[in-house]
Amino acid sequence: MLKMESFVKFTNQSQGRDRVFRAIQNACMFLNHMLKNRAGYEQLAKKLKQLELNMSTGRKLFRLGNMIHAVETARKTYQLSDPVLRFCLTVSSLTRVAYFVCDNILWARSIGFLSSIDKERWSLRASKYYFASLLITLVRDLYEVVQQMDQKRQDPKQQKVNRHREQNHPQESRNREHIMEVNFLLSFMLILHILKSNPPLLMDLVKNLCDLFGPLDRLSVYKTSPAVVGLCGFISSSLGILTVAQPVLRLKP
């Protein structure tokens, strides 16, 4: 009973509904591409394509109020004390506002209003704003990683380990190439440790990387197949569902 109440509460949130619809939409995209050329699956592929279009239309309706939410988010992040986070999160929110404006115009066109606008042109414009927002959000993720790396390196225990290594391997410490190799390996291991110990950061990074494939393909920056876009979108949507259902997994400013 408790699980059912949690599910109802989750689906009552606009973000929750959008994530679920997006997961279904991308799953349909993936399955449709995999089945459409297989004998005996033509009708199923057509139904999946229609369901994908229906999910897309439903998502546009759910996103009508997201522009206001993005403006409010930009207002809040502008108050952050960290200049890098303030810039990344505020600019990312503002580019999402521009994306939602384009998305709302496309929705209005789909129901018969603003029928004179160029659908392809506005769709490309929306993809550009979405792509820009993702890039800025990824910069924020990388900044978080670098910040935590600096904190770990300044930790007394980590400094003690570094001094111990230099004292026990004095000849190796004077070898520049060896130093570079060791530092690279240590940095890589440190990044893995940071991501492992910080699930919200790991999930946000993976989600944003998966989301990149859609606009990259749409803008012809890096062409791929609908199966890849659909699979990556499904992974991203699933992670998004987790962050909405469990707010503790959401990356905080």
Side-chain angles (χ1 to χ4, degrees):
M1 184 67 179
L2 181 60
K3 290 184 177 180
M4 179 58 67
E5 290 178 357
S6 299
F7 178 76
V8 171
K9 182 179 178 181
F10 169 76
T11 53
N12 280 337
Q13 301 178 58
S14 61
Q15 285 188 340
R17 290 193 296 269
D18 180 65
R19 298 294 196 282
V20 172
F21 273 49
R22 185 172 185 257
I24 297 173
Q25 176 188 350
N26 283 287
C28 289
M29 182 190 300
F30 172 76
L31 293 173
N32 174 59
H33 184 75
M34 300 298 293
L35 297 176
K36 66 179 181 180
N37 293 323
R38 294 192 179 186
Y41 291 95
E42 294 85 358
Q43 291 301 318
L44 177 58
K46 289 181 179 179
K47 291 180 180 179
L48 288 170
K49 184 63 178 179
Q50 186 59 48
L51 180 57
E52 177 191 339
L53 294 174
N54 290 340
M55 292 297 103
S56 177
T57 303
R59 289 184 62 218
K60 289 184 185 299
L61 181 61
F62 291 147
R63 292 200 300 262
L64 286 177
N66 284 4
M67 182 174 66
I68 299 174
H69 180 266
V71 171
E72 180 63 16
T73 301
R75 187 188 67 80
K76 291 180 179 179
T77 55
Y78 188 71
Q79 308 298 323
L80 294 174
S81 58
D82 188 304
V84 177
L85 286 179
R86 181 170 65 243
F87 172 81
C88 290
L89 294 176
T90 303
V91 174
S92 175
S93 294
L94 292 177
T95 53
R96 284 187 178 274
V97 170
Y99 163 72
F100 288 131
V101 169
C102 297
D103 192 61
N104 291 342
I105 290 174
L106 288 169
W107 175 79
R109 184 189 184 280
S110 69
I111 61 172
F113 295 104
L114 305 177
S115 57
S116 61
I117 70 166
D118 187 335
K119 179 182 178 181
E120 183 67 17
R121 181 174 154 192
W122 279 91
S123 180
L124 283 173
R125 189 173 293 171
S127 296
K128 289 178 181 178
Y129 286 126
Y130 183 51
F131 182 53
S133 177
L134 286 174
L135 288 180
I136 298 169
T137 307
L138 279 170
V139 170
R140 179 267 177 105
D141 291 338
L142 295 177
Y143 175 72
E144 293 277 4
V145 171
V146 171
Q147 287 287 93
Q148 294 197 31
M149 287 178 69
D150 288 340
Q151 292 176 8
K152 292 290 185 181
R153 284 169 176 161
Q154 292 172 8
D155 184 75
K157 292 182 179 179
Q158 184 63 40
Q159 292 178 352
K160 184 177 180 180
V161 171
N162 293 339
R163 285 195 300 268
H164 179 73
R165 178 174 58 82
E166 292 175 358
Q167 291 171 359
N168 290 337
H169 304 279
Q171 294 298 325
E172 291 179 352
S173 297
R174 289 195 291 267
N175 187 320
R176 183 175 298 177
E177 291 183 0
H178 178 78
I179 292 174
M180 292 178 63
E181 291 176 2
V182 171
N183 285 340
F184 176 79
L185 180 60
L186 290 175
S187 296
F188 181 72
M189 293 176 65
L190 183 57
I191 291 173
L192 291 180
H193 173 72
I194 289 171
L195 293 176
K196 183 180 179 180
S197 60
N198 193 336
L201 178 57
L202 175 61
M203 290 175 63
D204 196 67
L205 182 61
V206 173
K207 183 172 72 68
N208 290 324
L209 287 173
C210 288
D211 280 337
L212 275 179
F213 285 91
L216 283 175
D217 181 75
R218 184 74 182 86
L219 298 172
S220 300
V221 176
Y222 179 76
K223 298 295 291 183
T224 185
S225 70
V228 173
V229 175
L231 179 60
C232 290
F234 179 77
I235 294 172
S236 171
S237 302
S238 300
L239 294 175
I241 289 172
L242 285 176
T243 60
V244 175
Q246 299 291 333
V248 69
L249 295 175
R250 187 177 302 169
L251 184 62
K252 304 295 191 299

